[in-house]
Amino acid sequence: MSSRLLIDVHNHVYLPRYASLLRSRSNAPRILSRLAVSGGTEERLLILDHEPSGGRPVGPQYWDRSEKLKFMDLHGIDISIVSSANPWLDFLSASSAVDMAKSLNEDLEEYCQTSPTVSLSLKRLYGFGLLPLVPSVSSNSLVQIVDQISSLPHLKGVIMGTRGIGKGLDDEALNPMWEAIERKGLVIFLHPHYGVGKEEWGEKENGHVLPLALGFPMETTIAVTRLILAGVLDRYPNLRLLLAHSGGALPQLSSRLASCIHHDPVVASRLKHDARYYLGKLWFDAVAYGSEELEFVGKVVSRATRYKSASAPTETDVPQSNKLLFGTDYPFFPPLEAQNEKWRSVLDNLEAINGVESWTQDEKDNALYQNAIDLFGLNQSKA
Ligand code: URA
Ligand code: ZN
């Protein structure tokens, strides 16, 4: 691929079928209509039971494909890998979740397949499918939906929350699902929804700041750490996981994690490698809003092979930006006031990549598009 591109791997949609489901509900997650201060009605999205500020305003940016394409044009984004937004199917019964997953995966395939093209071989939209990850769902159903997703040519992976089928991602019952995802070569996008216990946030009204800035990344940190501790990456070494929000606090805490494991008789001999090795097996979106943070994640990831066990095959260090990928989190974090102008949240994440002092232009291009082409096999895609 010779021409330069911009590829957004972290952005969301509530597909029309899903938005209708949320409108039909009387408890969270739901979309409700209420009288607007300006007169008329407005729709609001409530995704958690005790959502601050009466939820958030929602509109066509959440479901309308032409709005997403307009946003992409405004910011020079050539390709988006679109995922359903949280809380996915978490609130449904097993049989409804299976039916809904099948239908939404077909909807998303159509949404991508009928999108405009970037070039002869590339569409502007690709997607992450949904799995019916709810309590009591059978492994067979999970594997069947993995098969469905991998048969849909414009879906390149699955988006997944942190709860698995109710017991988290270290649940052995998920083994057939990991095996199927690995066999089909789908990318897993691991994304938070629940944050951490709301009692941590005190009594002051701080809007969504604490759950979003701290709760979300901590949730991801804990989930992926449990997955590593359960040996999932030892059993399925070719699984490809992309972590939301640059992996939360995992890069900062990975040496501490390694030391705690080393000193704990319960887990000391459980894993094949030092905990830091597994960071090199992960991908990280670049939704961190700062150059220094990206540079730090790149450094931590690139040193991972130093921590492989002596018996592992020789691997060379990963170049510093090779596991980081540009994202926007659209339609979340829109500007509070001016419309039709570029979004601060997007500009911050672009400037963060372009401002990493130690990266060459090629290394910045890796994060802006080349890593996405490689991870999602877009050079092999047919439009
Ligand atoms: N808020 C959410 O609920 N989801 C996101 O992905 C980002 C912000
Ligand atoms: Zn997101």
Side-chain angles (χ1 to χ4, degrees), residues 273 277 281 304-306 308-318:
H273 307 279
Y277 170 78
K281 302 209 68 79
T305 51
R306 250 187 270 160
K308 69 181 186 296
S309 71
S311 61
T314 316
E315 291 169 55
T316 43
D317 276 4
V318 185

Side-chain angles (χ1 to χ4, degrees), residues 239-257:
L239 267 189
R240 297 182 303 160
L241 271 111
L242 167 65
L243 304 184
H245 314 118
S246 303
L250 183 66
Q252 173 65 42
L253 296 175
S254 60
S255 290
R256 181 173 174 81
L257 172 64

Side-chain angles (χ1 to χ4, degrees), residues 52-108:
S53 326
R56 346 166 186 204
V58 268
Q61 282 166 340
Y62 281 74
W63 42 80
D64 191 332
R65 190 180 71 176
S66 61
E67 289 291 325
K68 184 180 289 283
L69 289 166
K70 248 197 272 169
F71 164 85
M72 289 168 63
D73 290 341
L74 181 65
H75 296 90
I77 296 168
D78 299 285
I79 299 175
S80 292
I81 321 281
V82 183
S83 47
S84 286
N86 46 302
W88 314 288
L89 308 172
D90 289 20
F91 52 94
L92 295 177
S93 68
S95 65
S96 311
V98 170
D99 291 345
M100 201 46 143
K102 280 187 196 148
S103 303
L104 288 170
N105 290 335
E106 279 166 16
D107 292 352
L108 187 58

Side-chain angles (χ1 to χ4, degrees), residues 2 13 16 20 103 134 159 189 191-192 197 201 230 258 307-308 315 349 351 355 376:
S2 52
V13 65
S20 303
S103 303
V134 295
I159 183 160
F189 181 21
H191 192 289
W201 306 138
Y307 295 102
K308 69 181 186 296
E315 291 169 55
N349 280 314
E351 283 163 18
F376 298 103

Side-chain angles (χ1 to χ4, degrees), residues 231-304:
V232 174
L233 297 179
D234 285 332
R235 281 198 297 289
Y236 307 102
N238 298 317
L239 267 189
R240 297 182 303 160
L241 271 111
L242 167 65
L243 304 184
H245 314 118
S246 303
L250 183 66
Q252 173 65 42
L253 296 175
S254 60
S255 290
R256 181 173 174 81
L257 172 64
S259 176
C260 289
I261 293 172
H262 188 72
H263 291 94
D264 194 317
V266 176
V267 278
S269 56
R270 191 192 293 166
L271 297 180
K272 285 197 180 152
H273 307 279
D274 181 288
R276 287 164 283 197
Y277 170 78
Y278 300 101
L279 272 78
K281 302 209 68 79
L282 302 169
W283 281 259
F284 300 79
D285 74 22
V287 183
Y289 307 90
S291 301
E292 289 76 11
E293 286 84 351
L294 294 184
E295 189 168 29
F296 172 77
V297 175
K299 277 194 179 142
V300 170
V301 172
S302 75
R303 67 171 190 182

Side-chain angles (χ1 to χ4, degrees), residues 198-213:
K198 66 176 173 26
E199 61 283 358
E200 303 300 332
W201 306 138
E203 292 178 358
K204 286 249 180 308
E205 172 59 272
N206 291 309
H208 287 88
V209 168
L210 288 166
L212 280 183

Side-chain angles (χ1 to χ4, degrees), residues 10 12 14 47 56 85-86 191-193 212 216 245 329 332-333:
H10 183 161
H12 305 291
Y14 287 127
I47 51 177
R56 346 166 186 204
N86 46 302
H191 192 289
H193 170 64
L212 280 183
F216 260 32
H245 314 118
D329 228 340
F332 298 104
F333 307 107

